Amino acid sequence: MNSIPSESTTPSKAPFLALWDHFKDELLASDSESFEELKRERVINFFGIPWAIEKLMVFGFFICMDSFLYTFTILPLRILLVLYTVTIKFISNFKNEEKRFIHLNISQKSDLLKGVLIILVCISLQSVDAAQMYHSIRGQSVIKLYVIFNVLEIFDKLCCAFGGDILDSLFSKSTLGDKKSASNTNGHLWPISHFCAAYGYILFHTIILFYLAITLNVAINSYSNALLTLLLSNQFIEIKGSVFKRFEKENLFQLSCSDIVERFQLALFLTVITVRNLIELSGSPTSPFSILPTSFIPLFPAMTTLETLLTPVIIVFASELLVDWLKHAFITKFNQIRPSIYNRYIDILSKDLVDGNVQKSENQKKFADSSLMVSRRIGFAALPLACLTIRVASQTVTMISDSIQEKMDTEEPFTIVFTQPSGVWIFCGFAVFVILTFIKLLVGINILGFAHRRYASMERRETEERARAEKLDAQIAKEKENQINNEVLDDPKDNVLGKQKQVITLDNIDRYTLFKSRIP
């Protein structure tokens, strides 16, 4: 007995179309797509990424500069203040013939330990021969230099990740606290072990940064353009390693922090290399032939020697900017994130600056360095960079002194009187210290004022968003009040079209829509 097929199982018949009707449909069909608004916003967001990312980068750059200059300006003054306090207390005890223990608080102990660590690391670095390191790296082939540079970058990131925990544990209350808190951690052996670990970390990390700077110097000063080309290509490999992957807003924040630290270190290395090249070029004898490497190509015909020396620096730094723009532009495009997320990142860093500067109670004082908390968050290692700068600066001063001495030996006696280095170096050092202190205070007060203004507008924006959320759903508003940090990042307005992310299925997926962890 044959069963009658139901409507649901009956196959649909193909519609009959006349040739003329089909021609009219093809002629009058609209070429607009349903996702044209999405595509248009993607294009606008793509070209808006450079401005959005540079605002974050500039703000983070000055935060790193403030924390970096703190080591050379405020920290020595704080150490002198601690030594002055200890001396006054010691003299007072000696006059009164009392044998009371001189008590220091945790911040004073932390300042003294930082000073001792910097001095010990700088003394240890004097045995490191920079010339031998330079020639050993320069003698390597192009492929080996490429491997060396990548290995050093990996070790730099590993040291930043692990070294921050070592320093935080050394300067913590449990390590530098009173005897009661130290009794639970094997007495005085615990701080000593932490101090040795911190010394080993700073020394190792400084040597890694030293090798990085010398490798960059070799690539820039090489007479073969292959090394500089290889260095530039290494930066563009970042696009391949990060673009075709899934990024949440938290991952993008981590990548942005890494780019901030990388850009500050690159700017510091390029500044040191330019200064050293200028000193070496000024001390070389005059010659009708060019002694500059082939990478120092004048961009314009009438360029001075200083402008010519800046040519490879501009090329390297411009390539870094271009790589960051392309990397973040495609990451936000593939992950459907608006450029406004970088304003959220600025809000987070501003909130950390305000929390580190505001004194919450009488018993809880503000941080000595308001950018310390932000430096921890972005993974900026200030102490190793400071030790590297001191080592390079001492070597540069030695080069200048030797150059002056050679000129004094060749000049006539009446000109030697004006170049006696008796008190010149002391005056120059004091002048540099005053200038750096002024720059540090100027940078610090400006970024702190910006952070306070940003934090005030952040509170206003959060209040408005919370009020709108309460009208829609009271329960969601209560959850957002309990999770302020998640509220900053989990804003649907930061997504494309201001909506939740599009659900990717087999019906709407295409080749360049990120579904899992990688675009093939």
Side-chain angles (χ1 to χ4, degrees), residues 272-284:
V272 170
I273 292 171
T274 304
V275 172
R276 288 180 61 87
N277 288 337
L278 186 61
I279 294 173
E280 292 178 356
L281 187 62
S282 62
S284 61

Side-chain angles (χ1 to χ4, degrees), residues 333-357:
K333 176 185 182 300
F334 292 150
N335 293 274
Q336 303 183 26
I337 301 176
R338 278 180 171 176
S340 59
I341 189 62
Y342 295 101
N343 292 327
R344 302 282 176 174
Y345 297 158
I346 297 177
D347 292 339
I348 293 174
L349 299 182
S350 301
K351 184 176 182 297
D352 291 339
L353 276 176
V354 173
D355 292 342
N357 184 262

Side-chain angles (χ1 to χ4, degrees), residues 46-58:
F46 186 88
F47 290 105
I49 283 296
W51 172 248
I53 189 63
E54 284 306 313
K55 289 192 295 183
L56 175 63
M57 290 295 167
V58 171

